[in-house]
Amino acid sequence: MTQITGGRAVVDALAAQDVRHVFGLIGSAGMEIFDALFEHPTVGFVGVRDERTGTHMADGYARASGRAGVIIAGQNGPGATNLVTGLSQALAAYSPVVALAGSLSSAHVTRDAFQEVDQVALFKPVTKKTWQVPQARRIGELMREAFRTALAPRQGPVLLNLPRDLLAETFEASSGWEPAGECLASGPAGAPALIERAARLLADAQRPLIVAGGGVKNGRHAAVVLELAERLGVPVATSPGHGDAIPCTHPLYAGQVGPRGNPLATALAKEADVILALGTRLGFNTTFYSYEHLSSSARIVQVEIEPTAIGRFFPVAVGILGDAGLVARALTGALSGHAVGAPVREWTASFQSRRAALLEERDRPSTGDAARAIQPHDLYRALRAVAPDDTMYTMDAGTLCLQATDQMRYVQPPALFSPLDFGLVGFSYACGLGAKVAVPGRTVVSLMGDGGFGMTASELGTAVAHRIPTVCVVMNNGCWGAEKAYQRDFFGGRFLGADVPNPPYDRLAELWGAAGFRVDRVADLEPTIAAAIRCGRPAVVDVMIDPDALYSFRRDSFKHRDPSASK
């Protein structure tokens, strides 16, 4: 019989799941895994500089590929605890990340051993499920269970703790541990009676609107949703962070709705008489849990894979438990022979006219002094002009990225990867590296503020070492822009900790062995970004944004402040 180590069992299980790339940081607790990876013919290893950013890479890989992303923290204790932020982010995004964490030797548990921490308790709140492997012979079984759990609806991150003594243990390969192949599950298609009721509501509406969310994007359901939209003749808005749920080039595309979206899509949501909320919770980023960005009189048909999300924040006329794509297909079938009425045609024609005006306004060149400071909209316009149609964008949190989210062109879904509800700064660059590994043939542009890039700039080493040619555009205004705006507007200009002194990031990139570019003038934006995309190397474009172009986004959070405090 063939004898294998627990570490080899982990890698064999990865191969059985058809895993092609894993991200990780080596450490003594997981050395048996890394040794088994050394000459593996199909599972490649991408060594990262920090477990947090490595988890963002696995997250980006998962979102771009539709497969599970894998991160290995080779060291128990501090190596494992560094996963917490990345897994919290993946949980908020329903991203199927499989985290493997080296763990303390079984004999040392509860003895205050070196680097001991209760990793099961630590990760339970930030994962879909966390396990501790009890026996080496069960590694393959629990690896299979980890992938099944991460990929089953609703998807999410999982963590498997692997005690170092079990990874070193040797046992017979034919001991019943052998992992089965990949197993994916689909969601329900919705109850037929509810499908019929929803179809009647949509057919009778005069101002219907589809709001497509993560369930559409993550399920790759753009085509079937557009078929439904065309059958109804209605616009499709998207929830924030999912502006790529359908291609932006389609004439029924309205962009992102709500406080983080554009004014036209939000106006549609306030004017609609029936709203089909397709694969969206209508949560915080979309609505702020209020009718300020949503019609209070609209009848809502909500389709969600998670039963507790249906009607949670807003009452619904019809709630359908189901997969967004399967339900959309069923609704299209139920609407067979439907003729679009005059009120709907007028509603959609009005939308398309307003949408054309919005896009024209966005692309209108700015006037004034050619030497003026670069405004955020100058950069967004340049990106729209030169980025190829295949571009995938990753975003950070912060007001500059929030403003950019609805401004980019998302032609080939999936094309937008953002922190979503977790609001994480320091996410974008690492996520972009993972997305590029997943889909190497597509262009990847990562937008970040200077503060966020400073958190993760060491991953330039990963990009160079593994030849991952993404373009990171640093929107450099020398400050924590959101917080500085709040201090300006609501705290009397009492600035504390708001300014961020930075090195020249273009030169820092060059020191790492990447390509560095700097832009100080509006006229240089388009040619410089185009050159960075063409260069075929890991690249950083350091763009000097007007430091006074600050925007207080969450003004609602400071209603308690005396208005005089901002004077």
Side-chain angles (χ1 to χ4, degrees):
M1 296 293 182
T2 302
Q3 297 284 311
I4 63 169
T5 65
R8 170 66 183 275
V10 170
V11 176
D12 285 352
L14 291 172
Q17 296 294 326
D18 197 25
V19 172
R20 297 157 196 171
H21 300 91
V22 298
F23 304 88
L25 182 55
I26 65 172
S28 63
M31 293 307 294
E32 300 285 351
I33 301 174
F34 300 114
D35 186 65
L37 281 169
F38 179 71
E39 291 182 331
H40 198 279
T42 63
V43 183
F45 178 69
V46 178
V48 305
R49 301 306 176 102
D50 183 88
E51 293 88 352
R52 170 195 165 178
T53 44
T55 310
H56 299 331
M57 292 181 207
D59 186 353
Y61 182 96
R63 298 198 216 179
S65 67
R67 305 168 57 82
V70 180
I71 173 68
I72 305 175
Q75 192 62 37
N76 58 285
T81 62
N82 284 345
L83 298 172
V84 170
T85 298
L87 290 173
S88 300
Q89 165 61 59
L91 186 68
Y94 305 106
S95 184
V97 172
V98 174
L100 307 175
S103 186
L104 196 67
S105 289
S106 304
H108 294 168
V109 175
T110 73
R111 289 183 170 178
D112 295 331
F114 180 62
Q115 296 181 325
E116 180 174 8
V117 65
D118 186 347
Q119 293 179 193
V120 173
L122 178 68
F123 290 110
K124 277 186 175 179
V126 297
T127 59
K128 192 176 177 183
K129 190 169 183 179
T130 292
W131 299 263
Q132 179 90 4
V133 175
Q135 296 176 316
R137 296 172 186 273
R138 295 189 64 190
I139 286 174
E141 170 199 345
L142 291 177
M143 286 284 292
R144 179 174 70 248
E145 184 69 11
F147 277 85
R148 288 168 63 91
T149 302
L151 290 164
R154 167 176 286 183
Q155 296 182 346
V158 299
L159 183 132
L160 193 62
N161 287 298
L162 297 156
R164 62 168 66 199
D165 56 312
L166 302 189
L167 293 174
E169 186 177 324
T170 300
F171 57 95
E172 292 181 358
S174 58
S175 304
W177 68 271
E178 292 88 346
E182 189 174 36
C183 178
L184 302 180
S186 64
L194 296 177
I195 296 290
E196 290 295 332
R197 189 185 306 175
R200 286 196 301 271
L201 269 177
L202 290 164
D204 293 341
Q206 295 191 341
R207 297 180 306 281
L209 174 69
I210 296 174
V211 177
V216 173
K217 169 181 171 175
N218 297 337
R220 311 300 202 257
H221 297 314
V224 69
V225 171
L226 286 174
E227 185 180 359
L228 174 60
E230 290 165 357
R231 177 70 52 85
L232 290 166
V234 302
V236 181
T238 74
S239 60
H242 301 303
D244 57 335
I246 66 170
C248 70
T249 50
H250 194 280
L252 295 177
Y253 179 87
Q256 293 168 98
V257 72
R260 300 174 188 266
N262 69 68
L264 171 56
T266 302
L268 294 176
K270 290 178 67 66
E271 297 165 4
D273 59 354
V274 174
I275 295 174
L276 174 59
L278 197 54
T280 173
R281 294 166 296 152
L282 296 176
F284 176 80
N285 278 342
T286 305
T287 65
F288 280 2
Y289 308 131
S290 77
Y291 284 109
E292 183 181 352
H293 307 282
L294 195 70
S295 170
S296 60
S297 61
R299 306 191 73 183
I300 297 174
V301 177
Q302 188 175 14
V303 179
E304 252 293 336
I305 197 71
E306 170 55 50
T308 62
I310 298 174
R312 182 180 182 188
F313 304 122
F314 300 92
V316 298
V318 182
I320 301 176
L321 177 64
D323 173 84
L326 294 177
V327 173
R329 182 175 290 112
L331 285 170
T332 303
L335 289 161
S336 177
H338 171 70
V340 180
V344 176
R345 291 198 300 271
E346 292 171 6
W347 153 257
T348 300
S350 172
F351 143 71
Q352 290 173 328
S353 175
R354 289 184 286 171
R355 175 74 180 170
L358 173 66
L359 296 182
E360 182 182 358
E361 179 183 357
R362 282 180 174 177
D363 286 335
R364 187 177 300 124
S366 300
T367 58
D369 184 1
R372 64 177 173 78
I374 298 172
Q375 301 301 306
H377 62 81
D378 296 321
L379 172 60
Y380 309 150
R381 185 174 61 247
L383 283 165
R384 289 194 300 271
V386 303
D389 284 352
D390 74 343
T391 300
M392 296 190 294
Y393 290 94
T394 66
M395 304 277 182
D396 244 28
T399 54
L400 287 175
C401 282
L402 285 174
Q403 292 173 71
T405 302
D406 190 72
Q407 298 253 358
M408 299 299 102
R409 297 179 69 253
Y410 308 118
V411 180
Q412 298 178 17
L416 169 60
F417 308 96
S418 78
L420 300 171
D421 289 6
F422 198 56
L424 180 65
V425 171
F427 166 79
S428 178
Y429 182 56
C431 176
L433 296 180
K436 184 69 173 180
V437 171
V439 194
R442 291 185 63 176
T443 305
V444 174
V445 174
S446 297
L447 292 176
M448 302 189 82
D450 50 302
F453 185 67
M455 290 181 176
T456 58
S458 62
E459 295 301 349
L460 281 166
T462 298
V464 171
H466 295 277
R467 298 179 175 87
I468 309 174
T470 69
V471 176
C472 186
V473 177
V474 181
M475 298 178 285
N476 195 335
N477 61 2
C479 65
W480 299 109
E483 289 70 26
K484 190 168 186 177
Y486 297 143
Q487 289 176 340
R488 178 197 65 188
D489 295 341
F490 299 100
F491 295 87
R494 293 159 59 85
F495 299 117
L496 176 68
D499 295 312
V500 183
N502 300 305
Y505 282 133
D506 56 320
R507 291 171 56 191
L508 180 66
E510 291 169 351
L511 289 171
W512 277 107
F517 302 85
R518 181 184 172 97
V519 182
D520 295 284
R521 302 187 314 142
V522 174
D524 295 332
L525 281 167
E526 289 189 23
T528 304
I529 294 170
I533 292 172
R534 287 195 308 268
C535 77
R537 299 166 55 199
V540 173
V541 183
D542 199 6
V543 181
M544 300 299 108
I545 299 290
D546 184 356
D548 294 324
L550 301 175
Y551 174 66
S552 287
F553 181 73
R554 290 296 312 279
R555 301 188 74 87
D556 60 304
S557 295
F558 299 100
K559 291 179 180 178
H560 63 284
R561 296 294 301 179
D562 183 343
S564 64
S566 63
K567 295 180 180 179

